[in-house]
């Protein structure tokens, strides 16, 4: 009987140690995940200027003293903007994932962490995630000459034919 009790106590100790180690590993993974996120994901974008699921965290709102807005945009795989232009131009800083940028009539550019795109004023373009990877960008938009002008959606055919 004592052998059974000792085995039971031993197994309970192993179980308790295992649970503690599992909790520590989970907390370590959560901390590492939080460290890899540069800015918060933000709120789901619910307007019709995007195809798929994207999120926006406004970092700086444009105002009368500084007509520059800065936002962190997270695109889930396959998500993208409509064709659009910025009267004052825009700069995109890629902070994570794999994405695409395309100006009307030009070949697509594949974007990766560390890439920078300068969208010249009034150039029609779109940007978003690749087909199978999420994409995160910081969008710096000059609104002095007006807000973005949203055009037609990038069709699935345009999106997939651009990725061949």
């Amino acid at each position: 009987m004592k052998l059974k009790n000792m085995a039971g106590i031993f197994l309970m100790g192993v179980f308790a140690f295992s649970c503690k180690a599992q909790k520590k590993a989970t907390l370590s993974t959560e901390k590492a995940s939080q460290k890899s996120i540069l800015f918060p994901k933000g709120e789901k974008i619910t307007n019709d200027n995007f195809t798929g699921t994207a999120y926006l965290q406004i970092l700086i709102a444009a105002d009368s003293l500084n007509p520059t807005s800065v936002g962190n945009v997270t695109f889930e795989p396959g998500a993208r903007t409509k064709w659009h232009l910025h009267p004052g131009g825009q700069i995109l800083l890629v902070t994570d994932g794999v994405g695409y940028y395309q100006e009307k009539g030009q070949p697509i550019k594949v974007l990766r962490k560390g890439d920078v795109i300068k969208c010249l004023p009034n150039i029609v373009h779109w940007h978003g995630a690749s087909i199978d990877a999420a994409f995160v960008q910081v969008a710096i938009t000059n609104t002095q000459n007006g807000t973005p002008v949203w055009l037609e959606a990038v069709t699935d055919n345009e999106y997939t034919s651009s990725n061949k």
Side-chain angles (χ1 to χ4, degrees), residues 87-137:
Q90 183 181 54
I91 296 170
L92 304 176
L93 307 174
V94 181
T95 61
D96 203 12
V98 179
Y100 302 133
Y101 171 83
Q102 185 176 30
E103 294 177 357
K104 199 70 145 178
Q106 298 297 315
I108 196 166
K109 293 181 181 179
V110 177
L111 305 177
R112 291 186 173 76
K113 185 176 182 176
D115 287 341
V116 176
I117 292 289
K118 185 176 184 178
C119 309
L120 296 175
N122 299 312
I123 298 296
V124 175
H125 67 280
W126 67 270
H127 38 101
S130 66
I131 293 171
D132 55 4
F135 175 66
V136 184
Q137 67 181 26

Side-chain angles (χ1 to χ4, degrees), residues 19 35 38 55 70 100 128 140 142 152:
C19 289
K35 285 181 183 178
L38 189 58
Y55 300 85
V70 180
Y100 302 133
I140 304 166
N142 180 330
E152 70 278 3

Side-chain angles (χ1 to χ4, degrees), residues 5-163:
N5 286 344
M6 287 178 57
I9 292 171
F10 175 76
L11 289 174
M12 286 176 58
V14 168
F15 178 74
F17 178 77
S18 175
C19 289
K20 186 175 181 179
Q22 177 67 29
K23 183 176 180 180
K24 187 175 181 181
T26 299
L27 290 174
S28 177
T29 301
E30 287 174 1
K31 285 181 183 178
S33 176
Q34 289 172 356
K35 285 181 183 178
S36 69
I37 297 173
L38 189 58
F39 296 110
K41 189 174 184 178
E43 300 295 321
K44 185 176 179 180
I45 298 171
T46 58
N47 63 44
D48 68 349
N49 295 325
F50 292 74
T51 298
T53 303
Y55 300 85
L56 172 63
Q57 175 67 46
I58 298 292
L59 302 174
I60 299 173
D63 59 32
S64 61
L65 296 176
N66 188 339
T68 304
S69 67
V70 180
N72 186 69
V73 186
T74 301
F75 296 86
E76 289 188 356
R80 58 199 179 267
T81 67
K82 284 183 170 180
W83 289 102
H84 64 284
L85 60 90
H86 302 275
Q90 183 181 54
I91 296 170
L92 304 176
L93 307 174
V94 181
T95 61
D96 203 12
V98 179
Y100 302 133
Y101 171 83
Q102 185 176 30
E103 294 177 357
K104 199 70 145 178
Q106 298 297 315
I108 196 166
K109 293 181 181 179
V110 177
L111 305 177
R112 291 186 173 76
K113 185 176 182 176
D115 287 341
V116 176
I117 292 289
K118 185 176 184 178
C119 309
L120 296 175
N122 299 312
I123 298 296
V124 175
H125 67 280
W126 67 270
H127 38 101
S130 66
I131 293 171
D132 55 4
F135 175 66
V136 184
Q137 67 181 26
V138 172
I140 304 166
T141 307
N142 180 330
T143 61
Q144 186 170 6
N145 295 331
T147 58
V149 176
W150 294 98
L151 305 168
E152 70 278 3
V154 175
T155 66
D156 288 342
N157 189 40
E158 288 174 310
Y159 180 73
T160 57
S161 67
S162 297
N163 297 304

